Amino acid sequence: MLITKTIQGLLIPVSLLLLLPSETVAATLGICYGRVANNLPPTSEVVNILKTNGISNVRIFDPDPVTLQSFSGTGINLMTGVPNEVLPSLASGTPASALQWLQTNIFAHIVPSQIRYIAVGNEVLLKDPFYAPHVVPAMVNIYQALKTLNLDNTIKLSSPQAASVLSKSYPPSLGAFNPSLRSVLLPLLNFLRETESPFMVNVYPYFSYTSSTSNRISLDYALFRSNDMVQDGTLMYGNLFEATIDAIVHAIEKEGFAEVGVIVSETGWPKGGGEAASVENALAYNENVVRRVAGNAGTPKRPGVGIEVYLFDLFDENGKSGDECEKHFGIFGLDGIKAYDLRFNSAN
């Protein structure tokens, strides 16, 4: 089936959009608002922090009613998550029950026009593989519910995955999905192609660097400041962020889904709690990500194709489990003052 999109009255195959000038694809910068903490400011104050800093796109990880109500009418666009543990009931139900879930948990608290994406699960294949078989069936039911409301063209569905879904990522042209995950990823990619929705991936060069064996990944390469370029055929890579995205793109194309775009649903760098985790490095990393979004730079494989990126995280989350650094990704302090001088408004 040929997927087309109407631009200025013309029906254009989606696959050809990759060849159009950069201005046809707008780069968007957002931020993740994680709430695994017991000391966060009220959401009403959070909204003021976001507006003061010109941030108009936010990812939340669950449809908390108070959070949604606080964002309602603010003009801030949301990506809202469906928790992993909800997937089985949505998958085993019907479009009608999915519609009831949407109405009760999301649209009763915020107008649909402020919802850009619904992220169905998060890193299911990495964190909760038990739920993996339920991802696409849940998405299908939610999609049918959105069609009932005539919202299927304005609210897109995806399921953010960790970059570890790749079994090969170096060089990027060898990017390939883990064969053991194809039974879930191929139906997901097919759904995304049919609904003209993006593949969402969480990209963390920090963890790639700290888990790298034999120092194959240098800190400078992870922080966008390497003088040594990685050559991959005719393309040159100076940082791990773009190399990871292009490895995902190559993996998607190898499965026959070149029409599917990519969104970075999380990326960031901790400012404490681990090796190479510092304010200076967090600023260096996030500043370079913002600069690339603002410049609509794309990647070496898809130059000029703007990448939508969500920085992680708005605040530190003192309730996070795992390594100590997991608690220290916050770009803002609890008082709303930036932990470091990162400027957002140049990207939107």
Side-chain angles (χ1 to χ4, degrees), residues 28-46:
T28 299
L29 181 71
I31 196 165
C32 298
Y33 174 25
R35 296 183 297 107
V36 185
N38 61 10
N39 59 350
L40 298 179
T43 309
S44 57
E45 293 181 17
V46 173

Side-chain angles (χ1 to χ4, degrees), residues 172-173 235 237 242 245-247 249-250 253 298-303 305:
S173 61
L235 302 180
Y237 290 87
E242 292 174 343
I245 295 170
D246 278 357
V249 171
H250 276 286
E253 290 184 353
T299 65
K301 181 165 172 55
R302 291 180 174 177
V305 179

Side-chain angles (χ1 to χ4, degrees), residues 13-32:
V14 170
S15 58
L16 293 183
L17 292 180
L18 302 178
L19 306 178
L20 294 177
S22 61
E23 53 266 31
T24 63
V25 183
T28 299
L29 181 71
I31 196 165
C32 298

Side-chain angles (χ1 to χ4, degrees), residues 35 47-48 58 61 69 96 162 248 250 266 274-275 292 304 339:
R35 296 183 297 107
V47 169
N48 289 332
V58 174
F61 292 86
Q69 290 162 13
I248 289 285
H250 276 286
E266 290 179 35
E275 179 187 357
R292 277 157 177 76

Side-chain angles (χ1 to χ4, degrees), residues 28 66 72 86 91 116 119 139 164 180 187 196 236-237 242 261 270 272 274 295 332 342:
T28 299
V66 174
S72 184
V86 178
R116 293 189 66 211
M139 294 175 77
S164 59
S180 69
E196 297 184 35
M236 303 293 288
Y237 290 87
E242 292 174 343
F332 289 86
L342 181 66

